[in-house]
């Protein structure tokens, strides 16, 4: 174990896979994961936190590795049945086991607990030793402005991504509520206390982007050594829709473009073997150390090697 | 088919079983079922309407006949999983299929639809030909004041019944919100248009009681011929906890006591063979016609015979 305190900024699947490796390299109790909540959504009265749940299920060894999202041994009776009521309403797949998380969270929030308190209880249920924190206890929503057949629509991130399968032309992305959100209790302290801030291989626009948009977080991260892992491999994201959203943010869809998203923060950047040719340019143009390695996390061992590679870059 | 318009006041299981028989005797399209909503409860953010769902599932042939409540071929993964989060929180069994009903209802209510509109949509999903109406679109809650080890507690009906298994001494029952509730659209019209109002074999205190407590309903029922079926057979309820609650309302737990609950409304009363000896007394003391028959609804055929017997009493 490397004796090191880590604060990790995390989105969903890519972060979950990576974090399983990270906690094999450093003591999980020295890891604080600050998770995007801007794609949280209220569905049918329930508060759903997709990224928090992804990270929880991955770290709690409850994830479905093949599917990438949701729980292992999951069934979807409730959602399938909901489709029989109204096919239009059942676009967001809520697994039956997964529903328990949403029911539990929704009840505790209604009782007045903060999302950070609920997150701690959910993580405890899954035996997660790392500390999980939502980026904020306040409501923040990623809104995607799209144009579809000439009509402008302002969509919640999940409507854009899950309901409409990212098929629309994106004009703009904004984080509603971010400017007035406060970092959740513990977030800034964890960053301040960290030997390194790790930017997980997550979408720089809609996963780590909202986290860094919460006032104070970016400024505190900038004071710490920062190591990131490129979510873009060979010009395409490993998971998700970063290729659709990075151009809107003025970013090239490449390991270089992703690094540029963190330009003023980054000290070191890990890219995949297939992007080796970009290394000199990233080092030169961004002034960061670059490590080239295998970033495809086929299993926990590969994730561990990637985490070890990233932490070895800490100045 | 008997050409007759029927308005039925209904609680849960007993009503569900009876109504399956009723729609074999009269055209379902001539039946309006006015259902108790005072045991509706908000659970984990969801709006649950146990009696509406019971009647819907029974009339929609989706019920679990053996268990009496809930849906056939049901699984309980979400609730079982919720118990792993917090055993205390999982006292209300929400089946995975059943959850779809609650998710659908909760979303439509949040979108501004009235409970009566949602009820119509849920009934349509299950192919229910009778018209189902909640007694009111307004919130009404049956509260049970109990004493447990010397401490007075004010419980929601479901806490009393499902969570605490009706084990507490009951001091009082009240219908919170009833006095200011309006009958749901269509309720009074259905009663006025009915050739007979049928009081299903439901708990007179907490099932039909709240319905009759909504201002206007009792007065309109009083203007129509009224036939009731005793929910008490041989001094005990066939379903539920009427034996615990009737004494609190000053009612003897008998086919006579149950009839007394409707004293000023009733024209005719159906009791079970085992209570035959009570017939003369009910006729004499309450001045109603009494029919003695088999009221145990072992199957739809038995329920049909019971319904036929009840309707034959219509003056």
């Amino acid at each position: 174990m490397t004796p090191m305190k880590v604060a990790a900024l995390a989105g969903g699947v890519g972060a979950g896979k990576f974090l399983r490796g990270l906690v094999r390299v450093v003591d999980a109790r020295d890891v604080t994961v600050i998770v995007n909540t801007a794609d949280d959504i209220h569905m049918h009265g329930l508060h759903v936190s997709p990224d928090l749940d992804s990270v929880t299920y991955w770290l709690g060894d409850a994830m479905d590795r093949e599917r990438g999202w949701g729980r292992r041994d999951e069934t979807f009776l409730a959602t399938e049945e909901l489709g029989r009521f109204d096919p239009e309403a059942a676009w967001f797949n809520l697994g039956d086991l997964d529903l328990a998380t949403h029911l539990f969270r929704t009840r505790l929030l209604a009782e007045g607990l903060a999302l950070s308190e609920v997150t701690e209880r959910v993580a405890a249920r899954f035996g997660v030793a790392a500390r999980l924190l939502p980026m904020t206890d306040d409501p923040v929503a990623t809104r995607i402005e799209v144009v579809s057949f000439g009509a402008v629509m302002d969509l919640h991130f999940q409507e854009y991504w899950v309901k409409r399968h990212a098929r629309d032309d994106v004009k703009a992305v904004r984080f509603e509520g971010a400017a007035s959100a406060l970092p959740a209790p513990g977030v800034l302290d964890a960053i301040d206390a960290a030997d390194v801030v790790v930017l997980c291989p997550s979408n720089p626009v809609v996963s780590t982007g909202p986290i860094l948009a919460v006032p104070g977080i970016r400024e505190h991260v900038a004071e710490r050594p920062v190591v990131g892992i490129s979510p873009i491999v060979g010009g395409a994201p490993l998971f998700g829709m970063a290729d659709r959203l990075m151009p809107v943010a003025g970013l090239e869809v490449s390991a270089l473009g992703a690094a540029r998203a963190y330009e003023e923060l980054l000290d070191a950047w890990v890219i995949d073997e297939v992007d080796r040719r970009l290394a000199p340019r990233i080092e030169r143009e961004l002034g960061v150390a670059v490590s080239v390695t295998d970033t495809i996390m086929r299993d926990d061992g590969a994730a561990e090697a990637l985490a070890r590679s990233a932490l070895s870059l800490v100045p």
Side-chain angles (χ1 to χ4, degrees), chain A residues 27-289:
Chain A
D27 188 326
R29 290 164 299 183
D30 288 332
V31 175
T32 300
V33 188
I34 300 161
V35 183
N36 172 40
T37 58
D39 50 10
D40 284 22
I41 188 165
H42 287 91
M43 290 297 294
H44 319 296
L46 301 178
H47 183 112
V48 181
S49 297
D51 281 354
L52 278 171
D53 290 346
S54 255
V55 170
T56 302
Y57 297 160
W58 278 92
L59 281 178
D61 199 33
M63 76 292 177
D64 187 307
R65 189 180 278 277
E66 300 309 310
R67 197 174 50 224
W69 56 270
R71 293 193 52 182
R72 196 159 50 234
D73 304 322
E74 183 63 286
T75 56
F76 294 89
L77 286 171
T79 295
E80 286 164 13
E81 179 64 16
L82 193 60
R84 280 173 215 119
F85 279 87
D86 179 357
E88 286 290 298
W91 56 269
F92 199 90
N93 245 331
L94 298 171
D96 300 320
L97 294 173
D98 193 38
L99 268 166
T101 306
H102 312 317
L103 294 167
F104 182 70
R105 175 186 295 118
T106 301
R107 180 175 63 83
L108 294 187
L109 290 173
E111 288 177 3
L113 269 71
L115 183 59
S116 50
E117 295 171 295
V118 178
T119 300
E120 190 181 343
R121 294 227 214 158
V122 175
R125 143 78 184 100
F126 288 97
V128 175
R131 187 175 182 203
L132 299 197
L133 294 175
M135 64 189 200
T136 178
D137 283 334
D138 300 323
V140 176
T142 296
R143 305 292 310 189
I144 313 276
E145 190 183 312
V146 303
V147 176
S148 176
F149 297 104
V152 176
M153 290 188 292
D154 181 47
L155 304 174
H156 186 282
F157 171 76
Q158 302 292 356
E159 291 176 299
Y160 164 75
W161 171 233
V162 180
K163 187 175 188 182
R164 300 175 61 85
H165 309 290
R167 66 169 176 259
D168 306 299
D169 282 340
V170 176
K171 295 293 157 192
V173 175
R174 69 179 202 284
F175 309 124
E176 198 170 77
S180 57
L182 293 175
V187 164
L188 297 184
D189 287 346
I191 294 168
D192 294 347
D195 296 308
V196 60
V197 173
V198 173
L199 306 172
C200 293
S202 296
N203 186 319
V205 180
V206 293
S207 292
T208 50
I211 303 175
L212 293 166
V214 175
I217 295 185
R218 172 179 283 274
E219 294 73 9
H220 282 250
V221 169
E223 298 296 314
R224 309 305 311 146
V226 176
V227 175
I229 298 95
S230 178
I232 305 293
V233 173
L238 283 178
F239 318 100
M241 75 320 286
D243 52 325
R244 305 295 189 94
L245 298 177
M246 289 176 67
V248 180
L251 300 169
E252 179 188 291
V253 184
S254 71
L256 169 60
R260 243 192 246 291
Y262 305 119
E263 193 151 7
E264 289 155 21
L265 301 175
L266 215 54
D267 295 294
W269 189 238
V270 182
I271 65 173
D272 194 78
E273 300 280 5
V274 303
D275 295 314
R276 179 176 290 279
R277 61 179 176 81
L278 292 173
R281 218 180 128 198
I282 297 171
E283 289 183 329
R284 190 174 66 243
E285 294 189 15
L286 299 182
V288 302

Side-chain angles (χ1 to χ4, degrees), chain A residues 1-8 14-33 55-61 63 65 126-132 198 200 297 299-311:
Chain A
M1 287 284 179
T2 309
M4 194 180 261
K5 285 192 183 303
V6 178
K17 289 193 170 187
F18 174 78
L19 290 165
R20 285 180 68 86
L22 182 67
V23 297
R24 290 162 68 129
V25 180
V26 296
D27 188 326
R29 290 164 299 183
D30 288 332
V31 175
T32 300
V33 188
V55 170
T56 302
Y57 297 160
W58 278 92
L59 281 178
D61 199 33
M63 76 292 177
R65 189 180 278 277
F126 288 97
V128 175
R131 187 175 182 203
L132 299 197
V198 173
C200 293
M297 297 171 283
D299 53 32
D300 292 341
E304 177 182 349
L306 178 58
R308 204 172 292 282
S309 177
L311 293 188

